[in-house]
Amino acid sequence: MASVSSSSAPNLMELANLISRSVPILQDESSKPAHDDARGNVIEACRRMLALVTKPAEMLKEMALIDRQNLASLQVINHYQIASIVPPNGKISMPELADKCGLPLEILCRILRQAMTYGAFSEPEPGWIAQTGVSREIPPLSPLLMYQLDVCLPSMVRLLDWLKDANREQKCAYQIAHNTKDTWWSYASKRPELIENYGKYMALITSGGAHDVSYVLKGFAWEKLGKAVVVDVGGADGFVGIHLAEEYPNLVVIVEDNIKLKDSADDNIPHHLKSQVVFLPHSFFKPQSTLSRQADVFLLRHILHDWNDKDCRAILQALAASMKPGASILVAEQILQSPGTVSWQRERVMRALDMQMMIQFGSKERTYEDWGTLFMSVDPPLEIVGCVHPDGSADSFMELKKRS
């Protein structure tokens, strides 16, 4: 079924017809791929239809006047764990809820009634609060919400200040917002709870959707390795390594990351995989250990886009110096596409991620040409010998080898 591309300019009737064709498929869940395609078509067509019928001034005013308030109320709800206090299937009075979460009654009422406008909670009778499908999703998404709303949102509002600083004394807007000279990584490394929460955040955004960890299995011919060692560089608490080891029993996976993630990783790795998946504290700016130098593949998944070109070269240089003959580096990252060449929704996500990289890390998303130039700037140069983009994945998997 045809989808809506970013470069096309469909009219209302075309969008309505696409929705009409997609809905019967969406209601039939017998074919998951067709169901997923139909769901994507409906979402994209509805968004484009809304954009067509909304006047430009209305759209801009809604962004400035309403969208930011949605984030403010959601931040409060997540911080005070309000969605965990409201009974899953019953209801609770506003005064009791205010007492349990420690907020003034009047302020709580105002915040929750604003949140109800985007579907979080309901008021089945005056003064009583009940759950909705939206509010029930807040607790499991808490690590993601905490990182985006408590860490990234303050950085976003300081982007203009960073741009106005002609000398760019600070690396990114994050440092201005949080009054620090540390990068996010060095700041968080001093605070174990932030590192642990970030690991949970990464696990969340790679569970389902275009960044699902299952695409790692499709992006490289792991089965051809036979008995092999894979080093998951910056692998958090091992969620990717566990996935690989479950699927390919011949692989030994070494998960490398901050030492403060060791306890979380040790708890996360299933007992039956303890001999197959091992956590090893390591900084990817430093040379690899003797054990890790035995790797057949070094996996860098969602690592390099967090760093500027200079830092990326240092990371890749440390790996290149540690690679045994025939070893590969597998880089799993988004490849930035030219405007208008992908679906509207993918374009929105791509550009939003690129903005987040600039604001939070002083880094960026990269085009295929950008990646190739970066890899070849390492000594010895690394060249792309294969690139796989699994259907439905936001990431491409670029295999690198030392240039002979």
Side-chain angles (χ1 to χ4, degrees):
M1 179 181 293
S3 60
V4 184
S5 71
S6 182
S7 58
S8 62
N11 59 39
L12 286 174
M13 187 57 68
E14 289 171 332
L15 292 168
N17 288 337
L18 178 59
I19 294 171
S20 180
R21 294 194 303 271
S22 300
V23 167
I25 302 171
L26 190 60
Q27 292 175 326
D28 179 10
E29 298 187 12
S30 60
S31 173
K32 190 176 187 301
H35 180 274
D36 290 345
D37 288 345
R39 179 176 174 273
N41 283 339
V42 170
I43 290 172
E44 183 138 329
C46 285
R47 283 181 171 145
R48 298 206 73 159
M49 184 178 284
L50 183 61
L52 283 174
V53 300
T54 304
K55 294 179 180 178
E58 290 175 337
M59 182 270 291
L60 294 171
K61 286 190 286 186
E62 182 162 311
M63 286 175 62
L65 297 173
I66 298 176
D67 290 353
R68 63 190 176 95
Q69 310 303 345
N70 292 344
L71 296 178
S73 61
L74 182 57
Q75 183 182 31
V76 172
I77 290 165
N78 186 59
H79 178 81
Y80 286 96
Q81 300 180 11
I82 294 171
S84 296
I85 298 172
V86 177
N89 299 307
K91 58 185 178 181
I92 186 172
S93 70
M94 285 278 203
E96 183 181 357
L97 182 56
D99 182 63
K100 287 187 174 183
C101 67
L103 285 172
L105 176 59
E106 187 225 1
I107 290 176
L108 177 66
C109 290
R110 292 165 65 187
I111 288 171
L112 291 186
R113 284 171 179 155
Q114 190 279 330
M116 290 175 197
T117 64
Y118 56 84
F121 303 109
S122 67
E123 194 168 2
E125 58 182 284
W128 289 81
I129 298 298
Q131 295 275 14
T132 62
V134 173
S135 59
R136 288 190 185 95
E137 290 298 323
I138 293 174
L141 290 176
S142 184
L144 182 151
L145 298 175
M146 186 183 302
Y147 176 70
Q148 288 294 338
L149 300 178
D150 296 355
V151 178
C152 298
L153 185 60
S155 306
M156 179 202 71
V157 299
R158 301 307 296 269
L159 174 61
L160 187 58
D161 294 324
W162 179 68
L163 291 171
K164 285 180 177 180
D165 180 7
N167 296 322
R168 298 283 195 279
E169 292 181 3
Q170 284 150 310
K171 188 175 183 178
C172 55
Y174 162 80
Q175 293 176 321
I176 298 175
H178 296 273
N179 192 29
T180 180
K181 292 184 179 179
D182 286 337
T183 64
W184 153 251
W185 304 109
S186 54
Y187 182 88
S189 69
K190 303 169 187 175
R191 296 159 178 82
E193 71 284 358
L194 291 183
I195 283 289
E196 184 174 351
N197 187 75
Y198 189 80
K200 293 177 181 177
Y201 159 71
M202 288 303 299
L204 272 173
I205 64 171
T206 55
S207 298
H211 291 286
D212 191 81
V213 69
S214 65
Y215 290 117
V216 175
L217 304 180
K218 304 173 185 177
F220 188 72
W222 301 103
E223 67 281 357
K224 293 184 179 179
L225 293 176
K227 289 185 177 181
V229 176
V230 176
V231 175
D232 186 5
V233 182
D237 62 2
F239 62 94
V240 174
I242 292 167
H243 207 68
L244 274 174
E246 290 277 17
E247 190 71 18
Y248 300 103
N250 286 330
L251 297 182
V252 171
V253 183
I254 300 171
V255 179
E256 295 181 342
D257 214 309
N258 192 291
I259 191 171
K260 294 181 175 65
L261 282 168
K262 179 171 172 49
D263 289 344
S264 176
D266 288 345
D267 291 342
N268 197 37
I269 298 169
H271 181 74
H272 69 282
L273 293 178
K274 292 291 186 182
S275 63
Q276 195 182 344
V277 182
V278 180
F279 183 89
L280 187 66
H282 181 72
S283 166
F284 44 53
F285 288 107
K286 296 180 179 180
Q288 290 288 317
S289 67
T290 302
L291 178 62
S292 296
R293 285 172 182 264
Q294 302 306 308
D296 297 279
V297 177
F298 290 97
L299 173 62
L300 283 167
R301 182 174 183 270
H302 299 172
I303 301 296
L304 297 180
H305 73 161
D306 292 338
W307 300 92
N308 62 29
D309 286 351
K310 179 182 177 182
D311 290 331
C312 284
R313 275 192 291 272
I315 294 168
L316 291 165
Q317 192 75 55
L319 289 179
S322 303
M323 293 168 67
K324 69 181 185 181
S328 299
I329 298 173
L330 184 63
V331 175
E333 292 281 4
Q334 173 177 250
I335 294 179
L336 205 59
Q337 304 296 310
S338 299
T341 59
V342 295
S343 70
W344 195 39
Q345 175 61 10
R346 188 176 173 200
E347 182 91 32
R348 293 172 73 234
V349 174
M350 265 193 332
R351 302 302 168 186
L353 285 173
D354 187 42
M355 284 284 286
Q356 175 158 318
M357 295 304 107
M358 174 171 59
I359 290 167
Q360 194 67 10
F361 306 117
S363 62
K364 61 183 179 180
E365 300 293 334
R366 294 173 173 89
T367 65
Y368 187 83
E369 291 72 23
D370 291 334
W371 285 118
T373 300
L374 174 63
F375 300 147
M376 290 297 290
S377 69
V378 178
D379 184 20
L382 297 166
E383 60 181 340
I384 302 173
V385 297
C387 183
V388 176
H389 181 82
D391 288 343
S393 174
D395 300 319
S396 293
F397 293 80
M398 295 170 278
E399 182 183 5
L400 316 180
K401 285 189 179 289
K402 289 181 184 178
R403 190 173 191 179
S404 55

